[in-house]
Amino acid sequence: MKVVSIVITFLLFNFLKSQNVEIRSFNLKEFDSLLQKSCPMDCEIKTYHNSNFISFKRKDSVISMSYNKDGISSMRKVFGNYRVWYEFHPNLKIKSKKEFLSGISQIGIMQVGIEREYDTDGRIIHETDWENVPYDTDIPGPNINVWQIVNQIKKDFNFDILFDESFFSIQIYQDEVTKKVNYGVVKFISDNNDKLKLLTYYYDGENGKFIKKSKSETELPPGGLVHY
């Protein structure tokens, strides 16, 4: 079973890598072409009030590009619940790259991968590995990385964090009894009758094994929650 898990993780990493070709500069030529509606057959363009912003669908991803002649330009690529965000210096060289797992809860976004910052010549000046950061002062993060949890919960419950629209959030927490730093994966059930109903799957951060699952209900304030 360990071999199977390793193979699945390898395939997942390579799949995401294929979705995320390394980008080192803002492609102004492509942006101008897309702005003029010159688009391949697999691409659907949307423009908004700001003519310097476009959004288009290409294959399995939704890509947004925003151009600022004298400021910071940006590009966002969304693939299911996985997204990568680029910013670019005024000279169009890459400024930063960040990756996220994001469900329908805006308070449950998890930054993943390696965040990189670049100087105006495109050289890396800072890196943060978000899958190996401490939980708190003198408390290390989980031994199991988030992609192993993505694989395990799909295997255990057929819950696909990457593509399931009911994915609410993912978080790490410290168990009050064991003091382990574990994962909580939250699934949206409903928000009927002014009650937010969620199902949370708990996973051991040391070995990746399923611990338990629990349902919860929360009274929604008038007008509902503004952050989901």
Side-chain angles (χ1 to χ4, degrees):
M1 298 302 292
K2 184 176 181 181
V3 173
V4 172
S5 178
I6 292 173
V7 170
I8 293 175
T9 301
F10 175 78
L11 292 174
L12 177 61
F13 271 113
N14 280 275
F15 179 66
L16 290 174
K17 185 177 180 181
S18 69
Q19 294 295 319
N20 184 23
V21 177
E22 190 66 23
I23 295 174
R24 301 305 301 267
S25 62
F26 187 87
N27 192 332
L28 184 57
K29 183 177 181 181
E30 178 185 40
F31 178 83
D32 287 338
S33 177
L34 290 169
L35 201 60
Q36 299 302 317
K37 308 293 186 181
S38 175
C39 186
M41 293 298 292
D42 64 346
C43 175
E44 299 175 1
I45 296 179
K46 292 181 180 180
T47 56
Y48 297 89
H49 299 295
N50 181 356
S51 62
N52 288 328
F53 177 88
I54 59 172
S55 177
F56 58 95
K57 184 176 182 180
R58 179 168 290 165
K59 295 183 179 179
D60 296 323
S61 300
V62 175
I63 301 172
S64 302
M65 300 176 72
S66 177
Y67 172 64
N68 188 328
K69 181 179 179 181
D70 300 313
I72 304 300
S73 300
S74 65
M75 187 178 85
R76 184 180 69 171
K77 186 173 183 179
V78 177
F79 179 71
N81 296 320
Y82 166 79
R83 58 198 63 200
V84 56
W85 181 273
Y86 296 91
E87 288 186 324
F88 304 91
H89 291 287
N91 67 358
L92 302 185
K93 296 279 188 178
I94 188 170
K95 181 179 186 291
S96 66
K97 174 189 172 186
K98 302 176 183 178
E99 300 171 69
F100 303 90
L101 275 176
S102 177
I104 59 177
S105 168
Q106 298 304 306
I107 61 174
I109 296 175
M110 173 176 277
Q111 191 163 351
V112 298
I114 300 177
E115 177 182 348
R116 293 189 173 94
E117 296 179 14
Y118 302 80
D119 65 15
T120 53
D121 293 320
R123 292 186 292 261
I124 297 173
I125 56 176
H126 182 72
E127 289 187 335
T128 301
D129 184 351
W130 283 99
E131 291 162 33
N132 288 286
V133 296
Y135 175 75
D136 203 348
T137 304
D138 300 324
I139 303 176
N143 293 334
I144 299 297
N145 70 47
V146 67
W147 301 113
Q148 290 170 286
I149 300 299
V150 169
N151 287 331
Q152 193 62 44
I153 197 169
K154 184 175 182 181
K155 175 184 172 184
D156 292 343
F157 300 100
N158 197 32
F159 181 31
D160 192 341
I161 290 177
L162 284 176
F163 297 104
D164 198 310
E165 293 182 357
S166 66
F167 172 55
F168 191 78
S169 66
I170 184 170
Q171 55 197 350
I172 59 174
Y173 70 97
Q174 186 176 34
D175 188 279
E176 293 181 358
V177 176
T178 66
K179 302 304 179 183
K180 290 182 178 180
V181 178
N182 297 330
Y183 286 92
V185 181
V186 186
K187 184 175 184 177
F188 174 83
I189 300 176
S190 72
D191 57 1
N192 298 327
N193 301 319
D194 296 324
K195 288 186 178 179
L196 174 63
K197 297 181 180 181
L198 304 171
L199 173 62
T200 303
Y201 301 88
Y202 298 94
Y203 277 85
D204 193 306
E206 289 188 2
N207 54 40
K209 293 183 178 180
F210 172 69
I211 301 172
K212 65 178 181 178
K213 60 181 177 180
S214 65
K215 291 184 178 180
S216 63
E217 291 187 8
T218 304
E219 293 285 343
L220 292 173
L225 295 178
V226 297
H227 46 254
Y228 92 94

